[in-house]
Amino acid sequence: MGMSSSERLRAAVAALMQLTGDTQASLAAVLGVDQTQVSRRQSGSAAWGLDDCDAIAAHYGIDVLDLLAGPTRACDALSADRRRTVPNRRTVPNRRTAADEPKGARR
């Protein structure tokens, strides 16, 4: 059996937050609630309401039906300018990794 509607919604919200770099606190500010309420809704111990769905969809600039359809469709509907860009390791100055260290060097 597939995901329930509430599981699909929670997965869509999580995917959108990941894709945009939003935090629970930033989403809470949009919804006019505190971060713990978003956490409870995302964990499934409280339910997202229809007004929440409308506000989340509007915040991400997608149709509420795309949000309710699940993470793939919600993320596909998100415009490119809303997506977070992750810097390429090679373009970030002074960022060193273990691979950059000489062999036997201590950190």
Side-chain angles (χ1 to χ4, degrees):
M1 187 171 145
M3 285 195 270
S4 69
S5 296
S6 60
E7 290 169 328
R8 195 170 25 254
L9 176 58
R10 289 194 310 269
V13 171
L16 288 166
M17 289 172 61
Q18 176 70 29
L19 196 57
T20 61
D22 279 352
T23 62
Q24 287 184 350
S26 64
L27 188 58
V30 168
L31 298 172
V33 299
D34 61 39
Q35 178 272 327
T36 58
Q37 289 177 306
V38 172
S39 178
R40 292 183 69 234
R41 291 169 184 162
Q42 279 302 95
S43 70
S45 62
W48 288 108
L50 292 176
D51 290 338
D52 295 326
C53 293
D54 288 336
I56 292 167
H59 172 66
Y60 289 114
I62 64 174
D63 189 275
V64 71
L65 294 177
D66 291 325
L67 176 66
L68 296 173
T72 301
R73 190 151 146 206
C75 290
D76 286 347
L78 187 69
S79 67
D81 63 325
R82 285 298 315 265
R83 297 167 190 258
R84 166 177 65 160
T85 57
V86 179
N88 183 325
R89 182 179 94 75
R90 296 171 199 248
T91 62
V92 178
N94 300 324
R95 181 172 175 202
R96 298 182 69 159
T97 65
D100 297 329
E101 296 289 329
K103 288 190 180 197
R106 294 186 142 193
R107 289 186 132 198

